[in-house]
Each structure stands twice: as structure tokens, then as C-alpha cells.
Amino acid sequence: MPEAPGLCFRHVEVDGRLVDVRIAGERVTGVGPGLGPAGGAAVIDGHGGALVPGLHDHHIHLLATAAARRSVPVGPRDVRDRVGLAAALRAADAALPPGRWIRAVGYHESVGGDLDRRGVDALVPGRPVRIQHRSGARWILNSAAVEALGLDGGDRPDHAGIERDGAGRATGRLHRSDAWLRTLLPGEGPPDLAPLGRLLTRFGVTGVTDTTPYTRLADLAPLSAAVRSGALPQRVVVTGGPGLAGSAPPDGLEWGPVKIVIDDGDYPRLDELCDGIRAAHGSGRPVAIHCVTRTALVLALAAWDDAGSRTGDRVEHGAVIAPDLYPALRHHRLTVVTQPGFVGERGDEYARDVDAGDRAHLYPCRSLAEAGVAVAGSTDAPYSNPDPWRAIAAASTRRTPSGAVLGAGEAVSARRALGLFLADPHAPGGAARTVSPGAVADLCLLPAGLDEVLAGPAPARAVSTTRRGRVVGP
């Protein structure tokens, strides 16, 4: 790529001061009052708006987020009940040409109960339908979809994630089967990532860590192509599963930690977890272990006790972490990559449905930091809104959709909440990146001073987003 042209931000707020910021190539070369542009550099007048490092989302699923944007939303905030679910699916049925599948996302049992193929048949019987549970761990197919995939036939494909009844017939529920399912779906290519790339630039996001546990390098090809073409202007760090631990990353992508998933209700053996950790560490990479519940985290900590930890090892989600586990997290120097946005989106459901003993420990932030445990921020899109500013607001207010406060003691200052998204992707939970000479020019220009932006009722939007010295949006 040719060197980025020179750039100068004038009248911007950096660390509370009104300054100019010069950029040459990919780096910041000067920060100070009255610098002005150098040698024909392009000028952007910030009008006093804050210039901050570009945000990094430390846990997102890019392909799933792009696909969700072309899907039917059927979560509790989209449809209220089974009648609304039926209306949404039937509207999609009426709009699609013959032969096309309906893809719906965000489903939760509070909408229409514990669906199986017959339940979906009652809503849309004649067209293949697949509905993703909002956890991302399960798909529910109707009979037309089951038949289209041949899951009931004599030469039926088999996979460990297919749930079957006592007679061996598919129930329509598929568990953790995304990659396998994609190989069977008719003519479904990867989603267009360019709209998502543009959306992220509007949020001032210059980097992401895709934490999908890909099993094949070929699964990463769409991300590699999107980065190389500029469709995704963000820096993209990827995880992948243990099977890819020793592989070279595809062009344009960077390896992050190796992703290991602990599914509640289908826990791996301790020796399997230890083997996965050792394989990652043996390849020079840390691990990121998916732990939603306390039980999953206790199992992961036991594996770290046995296999050992290394710098960069992470706990993903940490939806429930009781303080008695903090010493073990600190001992292993683990970072908790949390999603405070879930409190802002699902907090009322948590207050109603989560055991009282766990409610005080939901998506902790402040108490972890005070205990010396590193914490980083993320959205987990598409399972939460991809806007990190909503997550920042939730981390600082802990307000639920109804306006109630859930876990007030876990709230952090708005500036600290922003800092959850400013660390280097290879050191999440570490020091926030800065706008200073020598720093890579990944920058987000905001429409007002930082205090005003963080105090505003509406999510922030970038006036300008710069990646490696080049303006890429919005």
C-alpha cells in the first residue's frame, strides 16, 4: 500500500487541551497548539471536538454480524410473543422469491417457548426456515429445512450437533454447528462485509478481534479478502480454534489468542481443556476461553492450574464472576473480556430471570479492576448491538432498558468505560493507547469535547475515522 498522505487535525481536544495534531505516513508526528499543517497536508478542522484513539472491539463475530444484518430479527425486543414471531416470519415468507431460505436471528424462549421443527412448521410450513437462538449456540430448523438438508434420509449427513429424538429423527435443533451447516446450505456465499465496515467507521472503530472459533483456514478467507480489498478498513485480529494454533494467519489478518469454547450443559473433559491450552501455548499463542457461567469459569481455572497460563490468556464473557474467584484470575494474570452492553439490552430480563445470588455478579467491571484483574470491553455482536458507545454507556450507568440500575457497584466512570475499548488488541485490559508522537494514526474525531460526548444521552458518532493515517469514514 502506498504511504498515506500527510494530514493535520486542527483545533481538536487531546487530553483536555486544544491542539493541532500532525500525521505523516501512518504515524502521529506532532501534537501541540498552533502547529498547523506541514507541506501540503490535508486539513480537518475539529472545531474543538475530542480526538481519541480509534476504538477496538475486543470480542465480535464479523461474518455473523454481517449476516444478521440481512436476517429477520426475532428477539424479545423485536417481537413480543408467538403472534409477533409468526407475523415477522410470514412477512419474510411473502417477500422472498421461491426457494430462498428464511434466516431469523435473536430468538429467545420468552418469545415463543422452546421451539423445535414442529413449532416452526406451525409458523411457516412450506419454505425452509432456520432460526438462531440469541446465545448463538443453537439453530432451529423447520421440517422443510430438515428435508432440504436430508437430515432424516437414509444417507443423511451426520454431525455431533444434530439433536435427534428416540426414533433417530432430527428434532430441528442444531447445537454449535455453524461451520458444518454452511457447507450444506444451497448457494449461500459469505455475506458482504463492506456495509459492516462502514458502520464500524461511523462508531470510530478502527480495529476488532473476531473471536469465532474457526476450524479451517478457508473459513477465514472472506475476512482476509475484505481486509485486502478495503471493504473492512479496520485492523482485524482473529482467534480460530485449537486446530489452527500452529498455522500462519491468512494475508491481511493477525492471530490473536486461540479460542476454546466451554458449553454449559456439554462440558469438555478437563484433560481436553488442558490439551487445548498447551497446544496454543506451544504455538506461542495465548488462549481465550468462552466462560459464561460460574461453573464454566471454575472448570477453566482448573485447566489453567494444570496446564499453566501465559501473558495474554483471556476469559471471554465472564457473565457471572463471584469475588471468591478473583484471586485465581489475578494469580493467572488473566484478562476478562466483558460485554457491559448486555446489561443495557437485557438487564430487565436478568433482574427477572437470573438467580438472586448471581445478580450482584453479572458482568462485573469495577470490582474486578479494583481487585487487580485486567478488564477489556467488547460488544459480542451480533448477539449484542455492535455500537461500542452503547456498551460504554451501560458500563458507566448500569441502566437497563426500563431505566433501572443493575449492579450499581460495578459502574465505572465514563472515561474508564471508554478505556475498555482503547487498549492494544494484543494487550486487552492494558493501558489505553494515546494520541501522541510516534503512535499509529488510528484515530476517532468526535463532534464535541470528550466530557460533553460521554455525558450526552445519545450514543456518540465519529465525525472522522482515520486508519493508519488515512481517513476511512464515516
Side-chain angles (χ1 to χ4, degrees):
M1 178 183 294
E3 185 173 281
L7 185 62
C8 178
F9 287 92
R10 300 204 64 182
H11 310 119
V12 292
E13 179 193 276
V14 175
D15 296 329
R17 297 188 304 146
L18 196 62
V19 296
D20 296 344
V21 175
R22 283 180 178 172
I23 297 167
E26 298 183 358
R27 305 235 168 219
V28 175
T29 58
V31 177
L35 288 181
V43 176
I44 297 176
D45 194 329
H47 300 288
L51 187 68
V52 299
L55 279 63
H56 191 95
D57 190 334
H58 294 283
H59 182 124
I60 190 174
H61 305 274
L62 290 169
L63 290 172
T65 302
R69 291 172 60 79
R70 66 183 189 187
S71 304
V72 182
V74 293
R77 298 185 70 183
D78 306 300
V79 295
R80 298 183 59 181
D81 51 26
R82 197 176 184 88
V83 173
L85 174 64
L89 294 177
R90 288 168 186 167
D93 184 30
L96 287 173
R100 289 281 299 276
W101 285 51
I102 294 175
R103 185 185 196 275
V105 295
Y107 183 76
H108 186 260
E109 291 78 7
S110 59
V111 170
D114 191 16
L115 284 179
D116 61 9
R117 66 190 283 179
R118 297 192 184 283
V120 186
D121 287 347
L123 305 174
V124 179
R127 177 193 297 273
V129 178
R130 60 181 176 127
I131 302 174
Q132 188 181 47
H133 191 270
R134 77 173 183 184
S135 66
R138 185 193 315 153
W139 287 97
I140 308 119
L141 313 182
N142 68 350
S143 292
V146 169
E147 291 164 7
L149 298 178
L151 302 189
D152 280 338
D155 296 325
R156 67 192 184 196
D158 210 359
H159 185 270
I162 303 173
E163 181 183 282
R164 298 191 182 277
D165 61 22
R169 197 161 184 261
T171 66
R173 298 190 187 103
L174 303 178
H175 186 73
R176 293 284 180 197
S177 304
D178 292 56
W180 173 81
L181 182 59
R182 280 196 297 271
T183 67
L184 298 180
L185 291 171
E188 183 172 285
D192 182 6
L193 288 160
L196 177 58
R198 292 191 294 270
L199 178 69
L200 294 176
T201 64
R202 291 202 291 273
F203 300 147
V205 172
T206 57
V208 298
T209 298
D210 187 306
T211 55
T212 307
Y214 298 105
T215 58
R216 305 178 306 154
L217 286 176
D219 297 332
L220 292 163
L223 299 183
S224 172
V227 170
R228 287 183 285 111
S229 71
L232 276 177
Q234 287 75 26
R235 178 183 186 182
V236 177
V237 179
V238 294
T239 58
L244 300 181
S247 304
D251 191 25
L253 307 179
E254 304 173 36
W255 280 137
V258 172
K259 179 74 174 288
I260 298 175
V261 176
I262 298 180
D263 266 332
D264 292 287
D266 186 22
Y267 298 113
R269 298 195 315 270
L270 180 60
D271 62 326
E272 291 176 347
L273 270 179
C274 293
D275 288 346
I277 292 173
R278 292 190 182 104
H281 290 175
S283 299
R285 293 173 59 191
V287 292
I289 301 186
H290 168 106
C291 299
V292 173
T293 64
R294 175 188 173 91
T295 302
L297 180 55
V298 169
L299 179 57
L301 290 169
W304 269 306
D305 286 340
D306 193 317
S309 57
R310 65 169 289 156
T311 300
D313 282 355
R314 305 165 28 157
V315 172
E316 304 301 303
H317 307 297
V320 180
I321 308 180
D324 63 315
L325 298 179
Y326 291 4
L329 294 169
R330 188 172 59 245
H331 169 72
H332 286 297
R333 297 165 295 143
L334 303 175
T335 295
V336 174
V337 180
T338 188
Q339 292 91 37
F342 282 127
V343 173
E345 293 181 21
R346 305 180 187 175
D348 294 324
E349 297 170 50
Y350 295 153
R352 182 183 64 243
D353 301 334
V354 173
D355 290 344
D358 287 338
R359 247 175 258 147
H361 311 308
L362 285 168
Y363 293 100
C365 189
R366 180 177 177 177
S367 63
L368 281 170
E370 290 179 345
V373 178
V375 184
S378 62
T379 66
D380 195 22
Y383 311 112
S384 182
N385 193 299
D387 183 351
W389 296 98
R390 292 180 183 271
I392 290 165
S396 62
T397 67
R398 302 287 296 195
R399 291 201 178 277
T400 71
S402 70
V405 175
L406 182 65
E410 294 297 343
V412 296
S413 72
R415 284 179 178 260
R416 175 71 184 98
L418 172 60
L420 299 175
F421 290 86
L422 296 184
D424 184 277
H426 297 294
R433 294 159 18 250
T434 60
V435 180
S436 57
V440 174
D442 289 353
L443 303 168
C444 167
L445 176 62
L446 296 170
L450 190 56
D451 287 338
E452 182 180 344
V453 167
L454 293 175
R461 294 292 179 269
V463 172
S464 176
T465 299
T466 304
R467 169 81 174 109
R468 293 170 58 184
R470 294 178 179 274
V471 176
V472 294

